[in-house]
Amino acid sequence: MKIAIDGPAGAGKSTIAKKIAQALQYIYIDTGAMYRALTYKVLELNVNPENEQQVFSVFKTLQLALVPADGKGLTFRVLIGCEDVTYAIRQPDVSHNVSAVAKHSSVREAMVKLQQELARSHSVVMDGRDIGSTVLPQAEVKIFLHATVEERAKRRALELERQGHEVEFSQLLADIERRDFLDSTRAISPLQKADDAFEIDTTNLTINEVVDIVLTLVSRSQPHV
Ligand code: DC
């Protein structure tokens, strides 16, 4: 069983995906973390994120690993070699540059292969931008989550404040709008709703309401669940 959850930044993908994985005892795979880890390394090595050849060279030596942190496959640490970058990949400089890194076709091709490999022998909930359209086109359940950009920026601000970061709301909103634009206008597998994905506007829904909708869709796709 494969469940694909796509949507723009802050639509609630990872929160919902984790809860669905927990409810069904599936493995959760956060593909955004993979692009973020590469971006972290690219910046650390002072490589220009726009330079596809150099970015792909960094990818080839990345030694990226997603290591389950709770024994259940719901939370994981992101490692580059022995370095734990789980928190570092969420920092604003990585968020600001990740779309430039993720647009390169050689990088996407290699990442998609890696993601398909990770999903091959497990039931998974995978979230990202192109999961239903490109990574797992055969997924039994495809969800496209979205919400207004103001609501998504509010959620991000709350999350960052909880982690003790200072946030400038207008900056956060502008960054999300910029990332939406870059992710949905790139040439290779842009952020888009797969034709057969079920669209959920989460603006006025609670987390539990969204989870219930997704679990209902899962049970409909598999009558014995
Ligand atoms: O889900 P996230 O915000 O952590 O993702 C970070 C970036 O990675 C996102 O702005 C675009 C890119 N990404 C992608 O291009 N394809 C995916 N499947 C997942 C993420």
Side-chain angles (χ1 to χ4, degrees):
M1 180 79 170
K2 316 286 182 213
I3 302 175
I5 301 188
D6 290 301
K13 298 183 302 292
S14 65
T15 306
I16 301 302
K18 268 185 220 164
K19 287 197 173 273
I20 299 297
Q22 187 166 30
L24 299 171
Q25 300 281 295
Y26 291 178
I27 288 173
Y28 165 55
I29 301 171
D30 172 0
T31 61
M34 300 167 78
Y35 290 99
R36 284 174 177 274
L38 173 60
T39 305
Y40 172 84
K41 198 66 184 175
V42 161
L43 296 177
E44 189 185 65
L45 295 173
N46 277 321
V47 163
N48 177 359
E50 297 290 338
N51 185 325
E52 175 163 8
Q53 217 179 349
Q54 286 185 16
V55 169
F56 190 57
S57 298
V58 176
F59 175 85
K60 284 193 283 192
T61 58
L62 192 60
Q63 294 186 294
L64 171 66
L66 303 182
V67 180
D70 58 359
K72 297 178 196 152
L74 291 179
T75 57
F76 49 83
R77 290 183 304 132
V78 182
L79 301 184
I80 297 177
C82 299
E83 187 185 356
D84 188 331
V85 297
T86 311
Y87 298 105
I89 62 170
R90 306 283 161 198
Q91 298 310 308
D93 58 336
V94 173
S95 299
H96 193 74
N97 287 286
V98 64
S99 297
V101 165
K103 75 179 176 191
H104 300 307
S105 60
S106 53
V107 169
R108 297 207 69 83
E109 238 172 69
M111 283 288 192
V112 167
K113 266 195 203 140
L114 205 58
Q115 291 155 4
Q116 289 173 333
E117 192 53 45
L118 285 172
R120 180 144 303 148
S121 50
H122 306 282
S123 285
V124 296
V125 184
M126 190 179 269
D127 77 5
R129 302 293 187 288
D130 58 342
I131 311 304
S133 56
T134 307
V135 182
L136 302 175
Q138 81 289 13
E140 287 85 350
V141 177
K142 298 182 187 178
I143 308 290
F144 191 83
L145 293 184
H146 64 95
T148 62
V149 68
E150 290 79 13
E151 175 63 22
R152 292 187 282 124
K154 260 193 247 163
R155 292 175 188 170
R156 266 293 141 89
L158 210 65
E159 190 183 334
L160 289 168
E161 277 164 11
R162 275 201 208 109
Q163 293 166 2
H165 299 291
E166 267 183 41
V167 266
E168 171 64 57
F169 185 77
S170 56
Q171 184 60 49
L172 203 59
L173 189 95
D175 277 352
I176 289 184
E177 278 178 331
R178 174 182 166 275
R179 203 137 65 88
D180 282 355
F181 175 76
L182 293 174
D183 292 343
S184 53
T185 55
R186 67 172 176 236
I188 321 283
S189 54
L191 163 67
Q192 60 181 5
K193 178 186 153 320
D195 289 341
D196 50 351
F198 187 88
E199 196 168 336
I200 306 175
D201 181 348
T202 69
T203 309
N204 296 308
L205 297 176
T206 63
I207 291 170
N208 285 342
E209 284 171 333
V210 180
V211 167
D212 283 347
I213 296 171
V214 177
L215 287 177
T216 304
L217 291 169
V218 172
S219 64
R220 277 194 206 145
S221 80
Q222 222 187 21
H224 59 279
V225 168

